[in-house]
Amino acid sequence: MTVVQEQERLQNSLHNEEPVREGLVLGNPSMRDVTARIASIVESKITMKYLATLAVTGGMAAWGVFALYYTFTTGIGAWGLNNPVGWGWDITNFVFWIGIGHAGTLISAILFLFHQKWRTAINRSAEAMTIFAVICALTMVLSHTGRPWLFYWLLPYPNQMQMWVNFRSPLAWDVFAVNTYFTVSALFWFVGLIPDLATLRNYVKSDLAKKIYGVLSLGWTGSTRGWHHYEIAYMILAGISTPLVLSVHSVVSFDFTVGILPGWHTTIFPPYFVAGAIFSGFAMVMTLLVITREILDLKQFITLKHFDNMNKIILATGMMVGYAYAMEMFIAWYSGSDWERWVFINRAMGDYSWAYWTMVLCNVISPQVYWFKKARRSIPLMFVISIFVNIGMWFERFTIISTTLHHDFLPASWGYYSPTWVEISILIGTFGIFLTLFLLFAKFVPVIAIAEIKSILPGSQPKHHHAEHQI
Amino acid sequence: MSTTPVGIIGEFTEVNATISAAEKLRDAGFRNWDIHTPYAVHGLDKAMGVKRSMLSYFSFVGLVGGLSTALGLQYWTGAIDYKLNIGGKGFFDWQFSIPIDFELSILGTALLTVAGLFHLCRLPTWYNRYQNDESFKKATDDTFVVTIDSDDDRFSADGTQDMLRKLGAANVHLVNASAE
């Protein structure tokens, strides 16, 4: 059955409870097909190609770990940081990775609350991506402390100095925000996984796999009494993740805004950061899903419709980010502050103007092609644009950090920051960690929420039934 | 193998039939029974007569616990235990406490919601009386599996099986306690 016939068939099936739209799942699979299609990925043999890819990403990760080891044994002086630029790629990478995570929570929580059914095919991998991205962000922020073995100094605990962390500092807020974000995302992800792990437990053949998935699924049986609580838990977790996702990047932006430096001390930062985070996160989801869908052959579940919707969100958030860039410039002029004005002129025309214009080109100009439906549904194009956006959003954070710092109030101390091989290796390393974790996820965990896909198949939910009105 | 039955299993494959069967079983007064489904079926819990979930109370306790921890921690450490003047800011002000109040409220709610879910669903329980039954395993794949436990007051090996068959269940059978 071609996709066109498929659509016609759906148009004709008026007895469905759901309003008939373009199919979210193509090929009209039965529930058993869905189980088999997704669960079989776990059972499939590990190919040489997979191992080779894993070796490459694992090598990247190992190289990054070596660079971290070198940093820890040598000191932060191994990095290109010096006066006046005290934050460089470390914080750029941190903000970049934490931002990437936001798309996962947006898809799993906000789109859930808005009953956007298309999220079901992509939420699992987007949430996984969130967790892996936050792991990378935590790696960056811990290494940037210089002595990560003293990380517990960031936590309020009784100690012999009788001192507490400074709760008036946005850096302390950040510790709470990022750790809460990681914990809640991980819980949300795991709760979503339980029914699918139970499906795997009953599907896989090897005894060892049965045991592992059996233990992980915690003995879930699909009992209606269980689902009854489960649905409420999922709703509550989605409900609290929604403000959480908005708060995390706001708190990250406080790291900048609460300082009084020109270029950082602006009220637009929290919403601007949140929009940018969702923008970059969707781009990363896109990059990963285009590849995953091709390799694991999930075209039936992750359709052009999904990509179309995601590209619309990329276009919308890209415009918000573009608006923020323009508004920053305007307010710098309108503020009448010479320092503000100068920082922004310097941002666009100074030493780092190449980074600024790379950012504008990638983030504001490139997504404009998504006004056209053809572009939103072209796989090669969306892959390229998603890479552009990833690059652009990395440069956005780099621009914000370096342009404000490298020319401070005292011209005598002006400088130019560029990274050393160590910082470059650490960035490569975080990509290695991220991709390695994602590869392991794609092989051993159901990449698509099996139970949720089943719940949106045509005819899977009862017709409006008198039972609903009885009680 | 023991011959004492632990319950009866019946299979449904059509969702509307499952709902009607659930209503009939509910009206017949069964208590120790359940329907195992591959996904959350809207309205099935109501059809079964499952009472409102207590879960949101757990969440609320988590919310209050998280919020009061955050406020208490920031107030006690800053304004009581070790007063430290930093830039002339207050030792405690509700304004600067908001980010941590917010984050710990969310954290508390999430932790207690999941703990509550585990408690109410009795997770983890790595044993189920039906676990070796082939029909039961289909519940995570494509079948709505009705189970009626033998310790239900209204349970009768033959009568209940007949009732399930009349309701349209396929492959109705007794499940005996497993040998292990």
Side-chain angles (χ1 to χ4, degrees):
Chain A
M1 198 190 287
T2 67
V3 174
V4 179
Q5 287 169 324
E6 168 81 14
Q7 281 163 1
E8 279 169 5
R9 189 192 60 77
L10 282 165
Q11 301 284 351
N12 294 331
S13 57
L14 289 172
H15 61 272
N16 287 331
E17 185 206 8
E18 308 302 335
V20 182
R21 295 195 189 153
E22 184 177 350
L24 287 175
V25 180
L26 300 179
N28 193 26
S30 68
M31 281 194 255
R32 176 158 294 177
D33 297 338
V34 174
T35 312
R37 186 67 207 84
I38 299 166
S40 65
I41 295 169
V42 172
E43 288 247 279
S44 65
K45 250 184 93 188
I46 295 174
T47 59
M48 280 311 285
K49 226 194 236 164
Y50 178 78
L51 286 178
T53 322
L54 203 58
V56 172
T57 60
M60 284 160 67
W63 181 242
V65 170
F66 170 72
L68 285 171
Y69 170 78
Y70 182 78
T71 306
F72 297 155
T73 50
T74 314
I76 293 289
W79 295 354
L81 300 175
N82 208 330
N83 275 333
V85 181
W87 277 359
W89 278 34
D90 49 352
I91 299 299
T92 306
N93 295 344
F94 163 68
V95 182
F96 173 75
W97 281 118
I98 203 96
I100 294 289
H102 281 57
T105 324
L106 181 100
I107 291 169
S108 55
I110 299 181
L111 296 186
F112 175 77
L113 293 182
F114 285 125
H115 296 288
Q116 296 293 308
K117 290 210 162 86
W118 58 275
R119 68 178 268 291
T120 43
I122 55 174
N123 69 341
R124 175 67 45 73
S125 43
E127 286 168 32
M129 183 202 74
T130 296
I131 295 166
F132 306 150
V134 178
I135 289 173
C136 292
L138 285 168
T139 311
M140 286 320 303
V141 82
L142 276 182
S143 65
H144 132 100
T145 59
R147 289 188 287 169
W149 51 92
L150 298 176
F151 74 94
Y152 56 89
W153 284 11
L154 295 164
L155 307 170
Y157 70 101
N159 56 70
Q160 82 282 7
M161 291 179 284
Q162 301 190 338
M163 285 173 70
W164 298 101
V165 295
N166 176 16
F167 289 114
R168 284 154 283 194
S169 161
L171 298 179
W173 305 343
D174 219 17
V175 173
F176 283 83
V178 175
N179 284 307
T180 299
Y181 188 45
F182 180 74
T183 313
V184 175
S185 306
L187 284 176
F188 200 11
W189 188 59
F190 182 67
V191 167
L193 265 173
I194 293 173
D196 289 358
L197 291 170
T199 302
L200 282 186
R201 170 194 69 206
N202 291 347
Y203 181 85
V204 292
K205 289 181 190 70
S206 97
D207 279 342
L208 179 68
K210 247 187 193 359
K211 279 222 167 67
I212 294 173
Y213 291 118
V215 169
L216 289 176
S217 63
L218 307 178
W220 178 262
T221 61
S223 137
T224 297
R225 295 172 200 279
W227 280 118
H228 176 66
H229 301 301
Y230 181 93
E231 289 231 282
I232 292 174
Y234 206 83
M235 180 66 89
I236 291 173
L237 287 175
I240 59 173
S241 298
T242 299
L244 180 67
V245 68
L246 301 179
S247 84
V248 173
H249 230 54
S250 300
V251 171
V252 169
S253 80
F254 291 160
D255 292 342
F256 301 98
T257 51
V258 176
I260 50 165
L261 292 174
W264 288 3
H265 193 57
T266 53
T267 48
I268 201 175
F269 260 32
Y272 159 31
F273 268 49
V274 172
I278 291 165
F279 181 53
S280 67
F282 267 85
M284 187 60 94
V285 176
M286 186 69 82
T287 313
L288 292 176
L289 280 188
V290 165
I291 302 172
T292 313
R293 168 182 185 264
E294 197 64 43
I295 292 180
L296 298 180
D297 194 19
L298 297 170
K299 297 188 184 77
Q300 193 178 8
F301 302 107
I302 304 172
T303 65
L304 287 177
K305 163 100 177 155
H306 292 93
F307 286 142
D308 192 346
N309 287 348
M310 286 163 74
N311 284 331
K312 282 179 191 163
I313 292 183
I314 288 182
L315 177 61
T317 46
M319 302 274 284
M320 288 181 210
V321 170
Y323 170 79
Y325 298 157
M327 195 45 68
E328 274 191 310
M329 286 286 172
F330 170 73
I331 292 293
W333 167 76
Y334 188 68
S335 69
S337 156
D338 288 339
W339 288 273
E340 278 289 336
R341 284 184 185 182
W342 193 83
V343 159
F344 279 91
I345 291 169
N346 182 49
R347 188 177 280 185
M349 299 194 296
D351 292 345
Y352 286 105
S353 57
W354 58 275
Y356 181 80
W357 293 107
T358 309
M359 166 190 98
V360 172
L361 194 70
C362 291
N363 290 352
V364 187
I365 313 290
S366 79
Q368 297 306 320
V369 297
Y370 288 149
W371 288 106
F372 302 99
K373 189 168 182 177
K374 262 216 166 84
R376 290 199 302 272
R377 287 178 178 244
S378 155
I379 300 277
L381 185 73
M382 71 178 79
F383 186 70
V384 172
I385 301 267
S386 74
I387 303 265
F388 271 144
V389 173
N390 285 324
I391 295 172
M393 283 309 294
W394 189 89
F395 272 105
E396 179 195 298
R397 281 65 177 251
F398 179 70
T399 304
I400 291 171
I401 290 170
S402 58
T403 56
T404 284
L405 291 176
H406 86 294
H407 283 186
D408 62 2
F409 297 102
L410 200 63
S413 62
W414 287 1
Y416 187 83
Y417 159 78
S418 35
T420 63
W421 68 270
V422 184
E423 286 154 289
I424 298 169
S425 306
I426 293 175
L427 176 60
I428 294 171
T430 52
F431 270 99
I433 294 170
F434 180 76
L435 294 174
T436 306
L437 290 171
F438 195 83
L439 278 172
L440 292 173
F441 155 77
K443 179 69 187 78
F444 296 108
V445 179
V447 277
I448 287 181
I450 303 174
E452 285 189 43
I453 285 284
K454 286 176 186 167
S455 77
I456 60 159
L457 291 177
S460 67
Q461 296 297 352
K463 284 176 233 169
H464 279 301
H465 199 270
H466 57 96
E468 301 211 12
H469 309 289
Q470 268 182 357
I471 299 170
Chain B
M1 193 183 261
S2 160
T3 46
T4 342
V6 294
I8 289 174
I9 275 186
E11 298 176 11
F12 285 90
T13 46
E14 208 278 318
V15 69
N16 293 306
T18 316
I19 297 257
S20 326
E23 287 169 344
K24 303 250 167 56
L25 286 164
R26 173 195 68 195
D27 296 342
F30 284 101
R31 296 182 153 271
N32 299 341
W33 65 294
D34 212 329
I35 303 182
H36 303 266
T37 60
Y39 57 89
V41 178
H42 297 163
L44 185 57
D45 44 358
K46 278 183 189 160
M48 280 178 63
V50 180
K51 288 201 195 76
R52 195 173 170 275
S53 172
M54 301 286 283
L55 188 59
S56 42
Y57 295 102
F58 283 85
S59 309
F60 185 71
V61 171
L63 174 76
V64 173
L67 180 62
S68 42
T69 307
L71 283 168
L73 183 70
Q74 293 180 86
Y75 182 78
W76 183 75
T77 58
I80 295 175
D81 191 51
Y82 198 123
K83 289 184 185 170
L84 198 57
N85 186 333
I86 294 171
K89 292 173 195 156
F91 297 116
F92 178 82
D93 282 314
W94 66 268
Q95 289 94 336
F96 76 65
S97 81
I98 283 185
I100 291 179
D101 298 341
F102 180 80
E103 299 299 339
L104 288 191
S105 305
I106 300 269
L107 185 64
T109 313
L111 289 174
L112 267 259
T113 302
V114 174
L117 173 72
F118 282 17
H119 174 70
L120 292 171
C121 296
R122 300 291 181 268
L123 299 176
T125 306
W126 286 292
Y127 170 78
N128 188 291
R129 59 170 82 188
Y130 303 107
Q131 67 186 11
N132 292 324
D133 187 88
E134 285 309 315
S135 296
F136 187 66
K137 289 180 187 166
K138 289 193 220 162
T140 58
D141 186 6
D142 64 346
T143 310
F144 310 104
V145 180
V146 179
T147 58
I148 300 174
D149 300 350
S150 59
D151 38 19
D152 191 290
D153 294 340
R154 291 173 190 270
F155 181 88
S156 84
D158 297 327
T160 314
Q161 286 199 73
D162 284 345
M163 180 176 179
L164 268 181
R165 284 198 191 95
K166 271 187 202 130
L167 290 172
N171 197 11
V172 178
H173 58 277
L174 275 176
V175 178
N176 289 316
S178 56
E180 34 182 350

